[in-house]
Amino acid sequence: MIPFPLPAAFLVLLSLILSAAAGPARADAVEPERRYRDCMDKARRAPQAAFDDALAWNGLGGGQAARHCMAVALMGLGQHAEAARRLEALAQEARTPVLRAELLAQAAQGWLLAKRAERADDVLTAAIKVAPENIELLIDRAGARAALKRYGEAADDLTAALTVAPRRADALALRASAKRFLDAAAGAEADATAALALEPANPEALLERGILRRLKGDDAGARADWLKAVQTSGAAADAARANLEAMDVKAR
């Protein structure tokens, strides 16, 4: 899962939410668009201030755009479950399948951050029914199913996504992890290697190949991969760092 809010989805939501709220084209449409952009930007930088602004805007008729910004701000404030509930409510009001699917995807990310992977899986399944051609939803659901240790189902979702988009390094890295848990080490290593051929600095793929190398007794290869991974940031880098520390402790 990538950091909330989803950058690609933001552009979709910007046009869809504003068009849904505005109805027929109006001469003053630029002002809501600017306010929405400003609010979403502030939600990333200063979520409490963004929530207060969006609350006031909603009272003045800001509609879905204001309520979406409020939900994003709540996510930034760590109120993930409440944000997810609000995003689901917005999805129910959505007038188009694309908008409904995007909002459900964001709600699912909130549920994952709230440690509610089962709910995230349900929400993503609903989103896939609305937008079955959206491979991002399949990749996200695979992440939720991996969190639930349903690795076979996660691998199936990723295989479906990779059939459409075979050069997705993130999907290959995630499928490598799923395959490892399914005791398919050769397939896992093939996926991790393929991911790194596409993105040599992909931290998830580096972490995974390092784990696979360590399991084979190739400590030097594992160390090399993990040292590259820790030069990045995020959960994979943190896990690589922890693995390096554990390996060093064991070597003493």
Side-chain angles (χ1 to χ4, degrees):
M1 304 286 288
I2 59 178
F4 190 94
L6 306 174
F10 169 72
L11 297 177
V12 174
L13 290 164
L14 175 64
S15 60
L16 292 177
I17 285 181
L18 289 174
S19 63
R26 298 181 333 195
D28 62 348
V30 174
E31 174 58 25
E33 179 177 340
R34 182 193 62 76
R35 191 161 189 173
Y36 183 50
R37 284 184 181 275
D38 289 348
C39 191
M40 293 291 283
D41 180 62
K42 186 179 285 188
R44 297 181 182 92
R45 296 181 291 100
Q48 184 61 62
F51 182 85
D52 294 341
D53 287 352
L55 184 63
W57 183 23
N58 188 52
L60 295 172
Q64 288 183 325
R67 285 182 284 128
H68 182 239
C69 189
M70 289 168 69
V72 173
L74 286 170
M75 198 76 73
L77 290 167
Q79 297 185 38
H80 303 129
E82 178 60 26
R85 281 189 284 268
R86 292 181 183 226
L87 288 162
E88 281 195 60
L90 280 169
Q92 294 304 314
E93 301 173 16
R95 298 181 183 178
T96 69
V98 174
L99 178 57
R100 185 175 300 113
E102 292 290 358
L103 288 166
L104 287 172
Q106 291 194 358
Q109 191 168 0
W111 289 123
L112 278 173
L113 290 169
K115 310 299 183 187
R116 298 273 302 276
E118 191 70 52
R119 181 61 184 166
D121 177 52
D122 290 343
V123 170
L124 285 163
T125 297
I128 289 167
K129 290 178 181 177
V130 172
E133 75 291 343
N134 188 333
I135 64 167
E136 301 297 337
L137 298 174
L138 283 170
I139 295 171
D140 284 352
R141 189 173 69 174
R145 291 181 168 181
L148 292 165
K149 299 184 180 181
R150 290 158 53 183
Y151 301 113
E153 293 172 271
D156 289 345
D157 275 349
L158 293 163
T159 297
L162 286 163
T163 299
V164 178
R167 295 180 62 81
R168 287 291 297 264
D170 56 343
L172 284 164
L174 186 54
R175 192 173 68 173
S177 178
K179 286 181 177 180
R180 174 169 58 84
F181 281 105
L182 292 168
D183 295 323
E189 188 166 5
D191 277 350
T193 299
L196 289 168
L198 294 167
E199 294 181 11
N202 184 289
E204 289 77 17
L206 286 167
L207 170 66
E208 193 57 38
R209 192 173 69 176
I211 293 171
L212 291 162
R213 286 177 165 178
R214 182 79 194 282
L215 290 172
K216 293 194 304 181
D218 181 7
D219 286 2
R223 181 181 295 278
D225 280 342
W226 292 338
L227 285 172
K228 290 178 184 176
V230 298
Q231 295 174 24
T232 65
S233 60
D238 293 341
R241 188 173 295 105
N243 285 346
L244 283 168
E245 292 170 357
M247 186 164 61
D248 288 342
V249 168
K250 188 173 182 178
R252 290 172 190 168

